[in-house]
Amino acid sequence: PIARWADRGNRRSIIALGLTVWSVMTVGCGFVRSFGQLALMRVGVGVGEAAGTPPAHSIISDYFPASKRATALGIYAWGVYLGSAIAYLGGGYLRELFVDDWRTPFILLGLPGLFFALVVRFTVREPPRGYSDSSSVGAQPTTLAETLRYLLSCPSWRNLVAGSCFLSLMGYGVLMWGYEFFGRVHHMSPMDIGLWMAAIVGIGGSLGTLVGGTVTDRLSQRDPAWAMRFPAWVTWSYLPFAFLFLLSDSKQVAMLSFFVFYFLANIYVPAMHSLNQNLARLSMRATAAAILLFIVNLVGAGLGPLVVGFLNDQYAARWGQEAIRYSLLSISILGALGAIFFHRSARTLAEDLERRNQL
């Protein structure tokens, strides 16, 4: 619903309002007096967060033309990895600083968001729909049903989503269980794992999205199909590093391989978001972003950690504590299958983009 609103209203103000709700609800978590109140506040956090990416993707797509869009969205995605790195580092620090006080961290983390909501509201400009495209084709309002029918009619979009689901499944599974892997297999301390994970996720993930966005933009100017071919080939290339990361008995080799693996495994992200925006018509960009995120996160965050946990249980009888090696390796191989769908998306991409421009 928020994305539908963003496709009709002022996206800048919607982002600012969402950030306000997000921040207020986070602060509110520090003042609750029951589980029910905490659950309600956490739902509010989710509602506020939902007003972030869909309108942001739409407004960024109006700021930057298709030739620079993957780079711009890659820089935007950088915030996820930078924020995760800060969370790994700062979370441990706050936990030690407020040993018996879980409320204060919620308040401290929520308050700055109110300031940034004002920054967004009074410094971000709301561009006209289709500004970077120099065209208003497809700017007329559409219903949710029309948006879904249009996106599903694009073979390249369907294959993009399918491939992204495989990689999201792998990404969430490895990220959520990576901490446990280094503790069980390499017997590292929680503080050491936090420091390494912050570096790997923060630097490796950021570099992956930045390089992925830049290279995708350059290659797709020669041939639009390379917007999907490039992440497809890179996805295949991460497999050797997955084997090294998960099967090596050396902590140093495992960490270094994990860094390269995570870097390569996130190169597809800017291509996924930019292609989704490029295929969508002007009046449905925020909704298209919300639909993509809904599907990919439902599969990735919903099933990724669960699949790894299930495989741990299945493999435990044979490998015991080492079972996590093979459960993570299994989901890494499964994620690489997303490259097949990226290749399929590349075959029809030029045709679907041309059809979009004619509507």
Side-chain angles (χ1 to χ4, degrees):
I2 296 174
R4 297 296 301 150
W5 180 22
D7 275 330
R8 290 168 167 76
N10 187 297
R11 294 159 292 182
R12 183 262 331 269
S13 298
I14 292 171
I15 293 171
L17 177 60
L19 184 50
T20 300
V21 173
W22 187 350
S23 303
V24 168
M25 293 297 176
T26 300
V27 171
C29 290
F31 294 96
V32 298
R33 289 292 179 269
S34 69
F35 173 79
Q37 292 176 3
L38 180 60
L40 185 62
M41 289 295 174
R42 297 304 295 166
V43 169
V45 169
V47 172
E49 185 179 354
T53 293
H57 278 199
S58 176
I59 204 171
I60 289 171
S61 296
D62 280 335
Y63 277 142
F64 297 92
S67 61
K68 298 179 180 179
R69 201 166 286 156
T71 301
L73 291 171
I75 293 172
Y76 174 80
W78 185 24
V80 174
Y81 305 99
L82 182 61
S84 297
I86 294 172
Y88 276 116
L89 293 172
Y93 174 75
L94 288 175
R95 187 170 181 175
E96 290 185 2
L97 186 62
F98 301 100
V99 177
D100 298 317
D101 178 13
W102 56 267
R103 298 177 180 276
T104 301
F106 277 112
I107 298 170
L108 292 177
L109 293 172
L111 286 175
L114 298 174
F115 167 74
F116 286 110
L118 293 173
V119 172
V120 171
R121 173 60 182 82
F122 292 107
T123 66
V124 175
R125 294 182 179 181
E126 173 75 11
R129 309 276 173 177
Y131 179 75
S132 66
D133 297 274
S134 300
S135 171
S136 60
V137 175
Q140 61 276 17
T142 57
T143 65
L144 177 60
E146 289 172 338
T147 299
L148 282 169
R149 278 198 300 269
Y150 169 74
L151 292 174
L152 290 172
S153 71
C154 300
S156 55
W157 187 86
R158 296 197 304 268
N159 284 299
L160 165 71
V161 173
S164 299
C165 282
F166 276 95
L167 279 160
S168 180
L169 186 79
M170 177 278 298
Y172 277 104
V174 171
L175 191 60
M176 296 299 289
W177 282 91
Y179 194 101
E180 189 70 19
F181 166 79
F182 286 109
R184 290 186 189 182
V185 174
H186 296 287
H187 310 292
M188 296 171 61
S189 69
M191 184 62 72
D192 286 343
I193 297 174
L195 290 172
W196 276 100
M197 291 290 284
I200 290 169
V201 174
I203 300 175
S206 296
L207 286 175
T209 56
L210 292 174
V211 171
T214 302
V215 176
T216 297
D217 277 338
R218 290 181 179 178
L219 292 177
S220 59
Q221 289 180 44
R222 305 175 188 174
D223 181 353
W226 275 104
M228 282 286 90
R229 285 181 192 150
F230 171 62
W233 287 115
V234 171
T235 297
W236 289 126
S237 72
Y238 82 53
L239 278 175
F241 297 98
F243 276 84
L244 281 172
F245 152 46
L246 295 166
L247 300 182
S248 175
D249 290 325
S250 167
K251 177 178 67 177
Q252 289 75 21
V253 171
M255 284 292 187
L256 182 59
S257 300
F258 185 23
F259 181 90
V260 179
F261 162 78
Y262 199 74
F263 163 74
L264 295 172
N266 283 280
I267 279 180
Y268 84 98
V269 172
M272 171 184 71
H273 290 308
S274 62
L275 181 56
N276 185 49
Q277 292 294 296
N278 293 345
L279 286 170
R281 294 162 63 184
L282 300 181
S283 61
M284 58 179 66
R285 279 178 167 167
T287 304
I291 291 170
L292 176 67
L293 289 171
F294 177 81
I295 297 172
V296 170
N297 287 333
L298 192 66
V299 173
L303 294 179
L306 180 64
V307 169
V308 176
F310 173 79
L311 292 176
N312 281 340
D313 290 341
Q314 304 309 305
Y315 296 160
R318 180 171 181 179
W319 287 299
Q321 287 285 88
E322 297 270 307
I324 195 171
R325 288 185 188 264
Y326 305 101
S327 56
L328 287 174
L329 185 60
S330 297
I331 204 168
S332 296
I333 295 171
L334 185 64
L337 297 179
I340 296 174
F341 293 94
F342 286 166
H343 280 297
R344 290 171 60 89
S345 178
R347 296 174 189 171
T348 59
L349 182 53
E351 179 182 340
D352 286 339
L353 288 171
E354 180 64 25
R355 184 168 70 93
R356 179 263 184 197
N357 292 331
Q358 293 176 351
L359 291 174

